[in-house]
Amino acid sequence: MIIDLRSDTVTKPGKAMLEAMMHAELGDDVFAEDPTVKKLEEKVAALFGMEAGLFCPSGTMTNQIAVKAHTQPLDEIICDKICHIYNYETGGWAFHSGVSIRLTEGKNGVMTVPQIEELILPDFDWLPNTTLVAIENTVNKGGGSVYTVEEMRAISDFCRSKKLIFHLDGARIFNALTALNKKPQHLAGLFDSISVCISKGLGAPVGSVLLGSKAFIKKSRKIRKVMGGGMRQSGLLAAACIYALENNVARLADDHQRAKQLAETLATLPWVKKVLPVATNIVIFEVNSSAQVAELLAAKGIKVQPFSPILVRMVTHLDFTEEMLISTQNELKSLVISA
Ligand SMILES: *Cc1c(COP(=O)(O)O)cnc(C)c1O
């Protein structure tokens, strides 16, 4: 048995999802003629109380389209230093949009209004224009840490007062909402744009949806095309996303429970120096050598992700069963590593 905890992107579509894909009504979405894609876009937009949606191949693309659509060259965006947009999108903000970036040092990636306020630049010739604030919820590199609705609202109100645009990288927003016991509707009106990944914890094979106003999505459609993301009979993928939204949201709580149980086991091990607080489905822990731990676990059939030379990440998901949890806990306890 191979246990893959590297990411919640490793899940494979099951029979029922494949069945939904096989029966999807299809058309050419570059001509805006794929009914299943339209259905998905409308469904996610309605869920979050936004006007319109755009189906894209990846969360990197939805984030980068948002940055591009909201900014011009000479603009500057504010993010946290551990966020995905800054670290894991190949510097796309510079490449696609010609903007600079200024970083907060939030607690586990969660930034506050005073931290953002400090970074807003005055209007001088020699400074870029602060335009956009982007938060991530949950924060991947923060160990799946969560912004509460109140924290998001505080930043939203602040952005409005400073005429800043507010984007949510909600790759794992359903994990955040599960942890908060809130509905997507609770985010209505807070953001100018939201990126939602369906290929993470929700278990679809491919796909993210970008949400915003009708005008923003119209502009974003054109940017998606120039980035090469105009897809044809993509209803095949959208059908998997619709299935995921209808069937795999409620079960995220199981992933969170299993992540907590993994963290509890890790906390008892002498070679684990620290475990970041677990709020959702991500467990990040500190060791002497992440490469060594990854290698020893790989030898036992357990795949984990070295996240830095000393940090290891495990992500629970749809295909990580109770049986796999018990097996992983036992293997972790049996590892012999000097502290
Ligand atoms: C995974 C992820 C993305 C998008 O990733 P893709 O692999 O491009 O779909 C964006 N933001 C966060 C926080 C993520 O974890």
Side-chain angles (χ1 to χ4, degrees):
M1 176 168 66
I2 295 289
I3 299 175
D4 198 341
L5 289 164
R6 287 171 302 165
S7 176
D8 45 7
T9 56
V10 300
T11 56
K12 292 181 186 143
K15 254 206 177 108
M17 185 181 279
L18 288 168
E19 196 74 24
M21 294 169 77
M22 272 167 55
H23 294 107
E25 216 185 312
L26 305 176
D28 186 332
D29 187 54
V30 171
F31 293 134
E33 283 174 5
D34 189 297
T36 312
V37 169
K38 280 191 187 160
K39 185 175 162 197
L40 171 68
E41 291 171 342
E42 283 163 16
K43 184 183 180 70
V44 184
L47 268 178
F48 285 85
M50 302 288 267
E51 272 180 19
L54 183 68
F55 186 47
C56 292
S58 73
T60 297
M61 188 180 280
T62 44
N63 278 334
Q64 292 301 325
I65 289 174
V67 172
K68 179 78 186 161
H70 286 314
T71 63
Q72 301 178 54
L74 306 184
D75 284 350
E76 183 162 271
I77 66 176
I78 296 177
C79 298
D80 190 79
K81 75 167 186 188
I82 64 172
C83 80
H84 197 277
I85 289 179
Y86 176 58
N87 290 286
Y88 302 122
E89 298 182 7
T90 334
W93 37 279
F95 183 79
H96 298 294
S97 304
V99 297
S100 55
I101 197 160
R102 206 163 288 262
L103 304 166
T104 61
E105 294 199 28
K107 185 170 178 234
N108 295 324
V110 174
M111 53 208 226
T112 62
V113 168
Q115 287 170 336
I116 296 165
E117 186 160 31
E118 218 173 285
L119 302 185
I120 298 174
L121 300 175
D123 183 13
F124 292 127
D125 287 352
W126 54 90
L127 295 174
N129 306 310
T130 309
T131 319
L132 171 73
V133 174
I135 67 162
E136 187 172 309
N137 200 9
T138 70
V139 185
N140 179 359
K141 212 177 177 177
S145 48
V146 176
Y147 285 81
T148 64
V149 174
E150 294 71 31
E151 287 167 331
M152 290 186 274
R153 177 162 299 119
I155 299 175
S156 175
D157 290 346
F158 175 74
C159 287
R160 291 266 144 78
S161 76
K162 297 286 178 189
K163 297 209 163 27
L164 296 174
I165 299 160
F166 192 27
H167 172 73
L168 169 63
D169 175 356
R172 294 188 181 83
I173 190 60
F174 282 100
N175 294 90
L177 292 167
T178 300
L180 297 168
N181 198 20
K182 297 283 186 204
K183 300 269 173 251
Q185 199 63 40
H186 288 116
L187 306 187
L190 297 187
F191 296 95
D192 296 291
S193 54
I194 303 180
S195 158
V196 182
C197 291
I198 324 286
S199 62
K200 295 268 165 84
L202 299 186
V206 175
S208 290
V209 180
L210 181 62
L211 304 173
S213 69
K214 280 188 184 141
F216 168 81
I217 291 299
K218 186 172 191 306
K219 188 172 181 187
S220 294
R221 249 188 106 83
K222 195 163 272 215
I223 299 168
R224 181 185 67 173
K225 189 71 176 112
V226 78
M227 286 181 176
M231 300 181 286
R232 301 293 179 173
Q233 283 73 33
S234 43
L236 203 60
L237 298 170
C241 292
I242 292 169
Y243 179 89
L245 285 162
E246 287 175 355
N247 294 278
N248 296 341
V249 174
R251 59 154 309 285
L252 289 175
D254 298 346
D255 295 346
H256 295 187
Q257 178 58 30
R258 288 181 189 132
K260 278 212 171 69
Q261 287 171 271
L262 282 176
E264 279 163 18
T265 300
L266 287 164
T268 66
L269 305 176
W271 49 272
V272 174
K273 298 182 160 174
K274 187 173 135 188
V275 186
L276 288 192
V278 172
T280 53
N281 69 329
I282 300 179
V283 185
I284 295 181
F285 58 100
E286 187 182 326
V287 294
N288 276 327
S289 159
S290 61
Q292 180 199 25
V293 171
E295 199 173 311
L296 289 170
L297 284 171
K300 310 264 190 187
I302 300 172
K303 297 183 183 180
V304 298
Q305 188 70 23
F307 224 37
S308 84
I310 56 165
L311 294 178
V312 180
R313 187 184 75 166
M314 291 176 167
V315 189
T316 59
H317 52 73
L318 191 55
D319 293 348
F320 179 65
T321 61
E322 198 63 26
E323 184 198 358
M324 290 176 177
L325 168 69
I326 292 162
S327 165
T328 305
Q329 285 173 309
N330 290 336
E331 293 293 2
L332 282 168
K333 287 182 207 158
S334 74
L335 283 192
V336 182
I337 298 174
S338 53

